[in-house]
Amino acid sequence: MNPFSIIWKFLDRTYHRLASPREFYGIAQYMTPIFGLLSLALILSGAYLGLFKAPADYQQGDSFRIIYVHVPAAWLSLMVYTIMAVAAAIGMVWRMKMAFVVAICSAPLGAVFTALALITGSIWGKPIWGTWWTWDARLTSELILLFLYFGVMATYHAFEERKTAEKAMAMLSIVGIVIVPIIHYSVEWWSSLHQGATVFAEGGPRMPSDMLTPLLLMIAGFMFFYGYALFLSAQNMVLNNERKSRWVRDLIQNTGDSQ
């Protein structure tokens, strides 16, 4: 058999499984503890290496260590919005129920990562810039991103009819994706106090390996934590959306019988 046809059949089967609320719920139940354990292991490892093993920065001293929370949070704030916008577009085009669930459940998680990035950035900026806040291009655009997350959540909850709420939320998510490249390139397009790319810089990372390794571990840990929290939130939303379905009633009954 043609290997391309094998891959296509696998992707098609996976797509249809993820598109089904019942199948997604089963997959999420299996993957949630895995993502949770991986997240915990990576974050603990990264935090230990970053706080206790990495050397102090020659200019910023130990204050640079907040990078191990700030950078992963900032990275996730952009990644989550991108996932949310792509899921919203898939939901709009193919009317996939689970795409809307992923988009809606991603919004509050992205808002938390964005708020954490702004808070840790302010804490880091105080000793370096001498102020808690400045209307720098990167900071200002990241603040706009936080408002976009709030807007997506408010838009969804502003409508009683679920399909209308999903469409309105999806449209705002898709339109707002323009903020992601603006944030990413803000330090290049405008005069900025914020430092440029360090990890994904042109020519390779600009950090020694004993500083870079814990940072990469923390980024990976934050990514798995997002997956863990997304699966938990999506399971709850699926059960609520599909509460009238036969499989949900059977699941509730079986859970009650087992207790």
Side-chain angles (χ1 to χ4, degrees), residues 103-153:
I104 295 162
C105 293
S106 291
L109 299 175
V112 170
F113 286 123
T114 306
L116 183 59
L118 289 169
I119 292 170
T120 53
S122 295
I123 295 173
W124 194 5
K126 178 59 177 176
I128 304 303
W129 299 337
T131 181
W132 295 101
W133 181 265
T134 179
W135 292 101
D136 176 82
R138 172 64 62 83
L139 273 67
T140 303
S141 53
E142 188 78 7
L143 181 62
I144 293 173
L145 177 64
L146 180 61
F147 291 150
L148 271 172
Y149 276 122
F150 289 154
V152 168
M153 290 185 284

Side-chain angles (χ1 to χ4, degrees), residues 208-239:
S209 60
D210 49 1
M211 291 182 176
L212 178 62
T213 299
L215 181 57
L216 294 178
L217 288 173
M218 291 294 288
I219 292 174
F222 272 52
M223 291 172 67
F224 277 108
F225 178 77
Y226 162 65
Y228 167 76
L230 177 63
F231 279 136
L232 281 179
S233 180
Q235 287 179 74
N236 291 331
M237 179 166 281
V238 166
L239 290 178

Side-chain angles (χ1 to χ4, degrees), residues 22-245:
R22 182 176 183 176
E23 292 288 340
F24 181 90
Y25 184 84
I27 294 171
Q29 276 196 312
Y30 177 78
M31 296 302 297
T32 298
I34 296 175
F35 273 54
L37 290 174
L38 286 172
S39 171
L40 182 63
L42 289 167
I43 289 175
L44 288 178
S45 300
Y48 173 73
L49 293 175
L51 295 177
F52 301 106
K53 293 296 182 180
D57 184 78
Y58 75 100
Q59 287 182 321
Q60 303 180 34
D62 286 324
S63 65
F64 97 98
R65 298 185 194 278
I66 201 169
I67 193 176
Y68 297 116
V69 177
H70 174 70
V71 170
W75 174 259
L76 264 294
S77 71
L78 300 182
M79 189 192 84
V80 172
Y81 196 95
T82 302
I83 292 173
M84 183 179 72
V86 170
I90 292 173
M92 288 284 286
V93 175
W94 287 288
R95 299 303 305 167
M96 184 192 292
K97 290 181 180 180
M98 291 313 307
F100 287 123
V101 170
V102 169
I104 295 162
C105 293
S106 291
L109 299 175
V112 170
F113 286 123
T114 306
L116 183 59
L118 289 169
I119 292 170
T120 53
S122 295
I123 295 173
W124 194 5
K126 178 59 177 176
I128 304 303
W129 299 337
T131 181
W132 295 101
W133 181 265
T134 179
W135 292 101
D136 176 82
R138 172 64 62 83
L139 273 67
T140 303
S141 53
E142 188 78 7
L143 181 62
I144 293 173
L145 177 64
L146 180 61
F147 291 150
L148 271 172
Y149 276 122
F150 289 154
V152 168
M153 290 185 284
T155 300
Y156 176 74
H157 292 290
F159 298 90
E160 294 185 4
E161 208 279 317
R162 195 178 83 195
K163 290 185 177 180
T164 303
E166 289 173 345
K167 289 181 180 180
M169 173 279 305
M171 291 179 63
L172 179 58
S173 300
I174 295 168
V175 171
I177 191 64
V178 68
I179 196 65
V180 173
I182 290 176
I183 294 173
H184 181 72
Y185 293 108
S186 58
V187 295
E188 300 177 17
W189 292 346
W190 296 287
S191 177
S192 175
L193 292 174
H194 199 284
Q195 69 184 56
T198 301
V199 179
F200 303 104
E202 185 177 351
R206 298 172 183 172
M207 297 178 67
S209 60
D210 49 1
M211 291 182 176
L212 178 62
T213 299
L215 181 57
L216 294 178
L217 288 173
M218 291 294 288
I219 292 174
F222 272 52
M223 291 172 67
F224 277 108
F225 178 77
Y226 162 65
Y228 167 76
L230 177 63
F231 279 136
L232 281 179
S233 180
Q235 287 179 74
N236 291 331
M237 179 166 281
V238 166
L239 290 178
N240 182 62
N241 291 347
E242 304 294 320
R243 60 187 179 275
K244 296 181 180 179
S245 301

